[in-house]
Amino acid sequence: MQQINLYLPEFQPNREPLRSIHMLWGLGIFVVLLIATSFFSAQNNRTRINDIAQRQLQLEQLKVQVAQLEQQRPKSNLAELDAQSLQLAQELSRREQIYQVIANKNLGNNTGFSAHLQALGRQSLETLSLQAFSLLAGGNYLEFAGTASAVDQIPLYVQRLRSETVFSQSAFGVLNAEPQKDEFGVFNFSLAKQAENTRQEESKTAVQMLIELNAAAKDKSLAGQN
């Protein structure tokens, strides 16, 4: 009978956790993944930089238009120019908010807001018209403002929105409604935080800014009548 001494080095099993060829393959795969990640990251950064530059250019053009209207405003047509100035100021405010979101890369979630926008359109009412809305906290908080033919249409619209999955857990702003003086049977309304609770200008939503602009225009109109 032949005996084999298993304690000799040549008969012992290979207990190395990783062989050189395995380490080489792993290093190669890691380098390829690193190069691919860097490439896609650079492409994304270039796209964001171009988008930011375009938005900034649009902001500058709007600022120039507002400044030109203020300088060239004739005394004989102040009401029309005030309306144009208000519209441009609202558009400027909206674009500045978009620019801030893109510049800070703070979209609030990683899936976008297409489902929220589709829900807003799907549950729309003929008796209610939105002029501005704001989606905050990744879509978990909603503010909007506009006009309605009746005040009870606003809670109805909120109830319809809550039936949508994307808004089922969302919070809404405080309701405020008042009738339009120049048009019978039409109400201006807003669902937003109270303006006095927002101290910093950059933290105000588009709806809050629209409310402030409308209030300023209303005060200016009353002052002109007096």
Side-chain angles (χ1 to χ4, degrees):
M1 178 180 297
Q2 185 180 1
Q3 295 182 351
I4 299 175
N5 187 2
L6 296 178
Y7 290 96
L8 294 177
E10 56 269 22
F11 293 108
Q12 293 180 2
N14 187 355
R15 300 181 184 278
E16 295 181 3
L18 289 176
R19 297 184 179 181
S20 299
I21 186 64
H22 295 160
M23 296 178 65
L24 184 61
W25 275 103
L27 180 61
I29 294 174
F30 175 75
V31 171
V32 171
L33 290 177
L34 183 61
I35 293 175
T37 302
S38 300
F39 174 78
F40 286 113
S41 178
Q43 288 289 103
N44 190 31
N45 288 338
R46 281 194 292 268
T47 301
R48 288 185 179 276
I49 290 173
N50 293 335
D51 200 359
I52 289 173
Q54 184 178 2
R55 297 286 183 179
Q56 192 170 14
L57 179 61
Q58 293 176 352
L59 285 177
E60 294 299 328
Q61 292 175 350
L62 283 173
K63 289 179 180 179
V64 171
Q65 293 179 11
V66 172
Q68 290 177 349
L69 284 175
E70 290 293 337
Q71 295 176 357
Q72 300 176 1
R73 180 172 56 181
K75 296 181 179 179
S76 59
N77 197 12
L78 293 178
E80 180 179 354
L81 286 177
D82 283 340
Q84 293 179 0
S85 178
L86 176 61
Q87 182 179 2
L88 286 173
Q90 294 173 355
E91 180 68 13
L92 176 61
S93 174
R94 186 181 68 85
R95 291 181 181 271
E96 283 180 341
Q97 288 188 329
I98 296 174
Y99 170 73
Q100 290 296 330
V101 170
I102 296 176
N104 297 328
K105 302 179 183 179
N106 183 18
L107 297 178
N109 59 30
N110 56 2
T111 59
F113 297 98
S114 59
H116 299 77
L117 298 179
Q118 291 173 4
L120 286 171
R122 188 163 45 245
Q123 299 300 338
S124 62
L125 297 172
E126 295 183 357
T127 55
L128 185 145
S129 175
L130 296 184
Q131 296 176 341
F133 66 90
S134 300
L135 290 169
L136 305 174
N140 292 323
Y141 177 74
L142 173 64
E143 293 183 349
F144 55 84
T147 58
S149 60
V151 178
D152 59 356
Q153 296 300 297
I154 306 167
L156 175 61
Y157 185 55
V158 173
Q159 182 179 0
R160 289 166 63 96
L161 289 178
R162 287 194 180 277
S163 66
E164 296 282 348
T165 303
V166 291
F167 288 121
S168 60
Q169 301 298 326
S170 298
F172 294 81
V174 178
L175 174 61
N176 182 33
E178 60 180 8
Q180 283 190 2
K181 292 185 177 180
D182 55 347
E183 189 170 353
F184 179 75
V186 178
F187 294 84
N188 291 324
F189 74 89
S190 64
L191 271 79
K193 293 180 180 179
Q194 298 298 323
E196 57 268 16
N197 295 333
T198 307
R199 297 181 179 180
Q200 297 180 351
E201 187 70 23
E202 61 271 16
S203 62
K204 294 180 180 178
T205 65
V207 175
Q208 293 168 351
M209 291 182 180
L210 175 62
I211 294 173
E212 291 184 356
L213 290 173
N214 289 337
K218 181 179 178 180
D219 293 341
K220 185 179 293 185
S221 176
L222 292 175
Q225 293 177 1
N226 295 333

